[in-house]
Amino acid sequence: ETGVTQSPTHLIKTRGQQVTLRCSSQSGHNTVSWYQQALGQGPQFIFQYYREEENGRGNFPPRFSGLQFPNYSSELNVNALELDDSALYLCTYTHPSYNEQFFGPGTRLTVL
Amino acid sequence: QKEVEQDPGPLSVPEGAIVSLNCTYSNSAFQYFMWYRQYSRKGPELLMYTYSSGNKEDGRFTAQVDKSSKYISLFIRDSQPSDSATYLCAMSSGGSNYKLTFGKGTLLTVNP
């Protein structure tokens, strides 16, 4: 186990709705990244947060936004959901000693 | 041309076979190379992490990097049914806590 937890495990939304996904680390690592993994594809980088500030963003529109809280937990928010947003959403925390990203189990989002 | 190319397979081998998985890349800025294993409905887990060109061995796994050819490989010796999973190559320009760029993944099945 990586110690990274994500919630919920699955959820189903309809087009146009908004969704919030959550991620936390048992060890409180301060760098969290979010990835989107469509079916049959590798994960794609959405953005990274370091000490509550966005620290890099991939090629995703502004309707994908995030937050990191003082306890280093994080949220990914997606507005105006589209069918193509259906994917596995993964978060990672960086282990400061080993310079390694640990992935959570993911949240599977289905947009109908 | 995608930054990272990986043959998606699927690849099916008998137990005990040597497996070779490969990725090519086009971005010369990539300096750090990783292989992740992803079981169905799980988050990726890090298998191997390399920086320099050459070979790195860990048990039955060997990672090979050829920066001059922009080509990386993962070899699995004495493959086991428990190795059946999707294998993802990943790369970054600034260490493993930076944005990771992934290949599509290769689905491997090891038959008993």
Side-chain angles (χ1 to χ4, degrees), chain A residues 13-79:
Chain A
K13 293 284 188 178
T14 56
R15 197 169 44 181
Q17 285 189 309
Q18 178 266 343
V19 69
T20 298
L21 311 181
R22 295 179 175 84
C23 176
S24 64
S25 166
Q26 292 178 354
S27 302
H29 302 324
N30 57 19
T31 303
V32 62
S33 301
W34 286 90
Y35 291 82
Q36 180 197 65
Q37 186 176 22
L39 195 62
Q41 304 293 318
Q44 280 198 290
F45 176 75
I46 302 175
F47 44 56
Q48 182 182 86
Y49 278 81
Y50 173 69
R51 294 186 175 180
E52 304 177 54
E53 296 287 330
E54 189 177 287
N55 186 42
R57 188 180 183 91
N59 189 26
F60 280 81
R63 60 189 185 84
F64 285 79
S65 62
L67 282 173
Q68 187 180 27
F69 300 99
N71 68 354
Y72 301 133
S73 66
S74 179
E75 286 183 354
L76 164 65
N77 298 288
V78 187
N79 294 321

Side-chain angles (χ1 to χ4, degrees), chain A residues 1-2 10 31 33 35 37 40-45 48 57-58 88 90 94 98-106 108, chain B residues 2 8 32 34 36 38 40-46 49 86 88 92 94-105:
Chain A
E1 294 299 321
T2 63
H10 303 90
T31 303
S33 301
Y35 291 82
Q37 186 176 22
Q41 304 293 318
Q44 280 198 290
F45 176 75
Q48 182 182 86
R57 188 180 183 91
L88 181 69
L90 298 158
T94 301
Y98 302 113
N99 199 28
E100 172 183 332
Q101 291 194 40
F102 290 96
F103 279 82
R108 186 162 297 282
Chain B
K2 287 199 167 186
Y32 298 84
M34 287 137 274
Y36 284 84
Q38 186 174 27
S40 182
R41 301 187 179 279
K42 301 283 189 183
E45 58 175 322
L46 183 66
Y49 170 56
T86 295
L88 296 153
S92 82
S96 69
N97 62 327
Y98 279 55
K99 161 192 171 182
L100 298 178
T101 301
F102 284 85
K104 290 179 71 170

Side-chain angles (χ1 to χ4, degrees), chain B residues 20-37:
Chain B
S20 172
L21 304 166
N22 311 295
C23 288
T24 59
Y25 63 96
S26 58
N27 188 345
S28 298
F30 290 144
Q31 298 294 321
Y32 298 84
F33 306 92
M34 287 137 274
W35 285 95
Y36 284 84
R37 177 175 62 195

Side-chain angles (χ1 to χ4, degrees), chain B residues 10-107:
Chain B
L11 187 60
S12 181
V13 302
E15 185 175 351
I18 296 175
V19 176
S20 172
L21 304 166
N22 311 295
C23 288
T24 59
Y25 63 96
S26 58
N27 188 345
S28 298
F30 290 144
Q31 298 294 321
Y32 298 84
F33 306 92
M34 287 137 274
W35 285 95
Y36 284 84
R37 177 175 62 195
Q38 186 174 27
Y39 291 113
S40 182
R41 301 187 179 279
K42 301 283 189 183
E45 58 175 322
L46 183 66
L47 279 177
M48 301 288 284
Y49 170 56
T50 57
Y51 169 68
S52 57
S53 284
N55 293 352
K56 180 178 181 179
E57 191 172 316
D58 184 1
R60 296 185 294 111
F61 298 90
T62 299
Q64 192 173 78
V65 174
D66 182 347
K67 289 185 179 179
S68 62
S69 301
K70 297 190 178 64
Y71 187 89
I72 69 169
S73 300
L74 178 71
F75 298 96
I76 307 174
R77 289 184 300 280
D78 188 25
S79 56
Q80 302 295 309
S82 58
D83 294 329
S84 298
T86 295
Y87 290 79
L88 296 153
C89 64
M91 310 178 186
S92 82
S93 59
S96 69
N97 62 327
Y98 279 55
K99 161 192 171 182
L100 298 178
T101 301
F102 284 85
K104 290 179 71 170
T106 300
L107 177 60

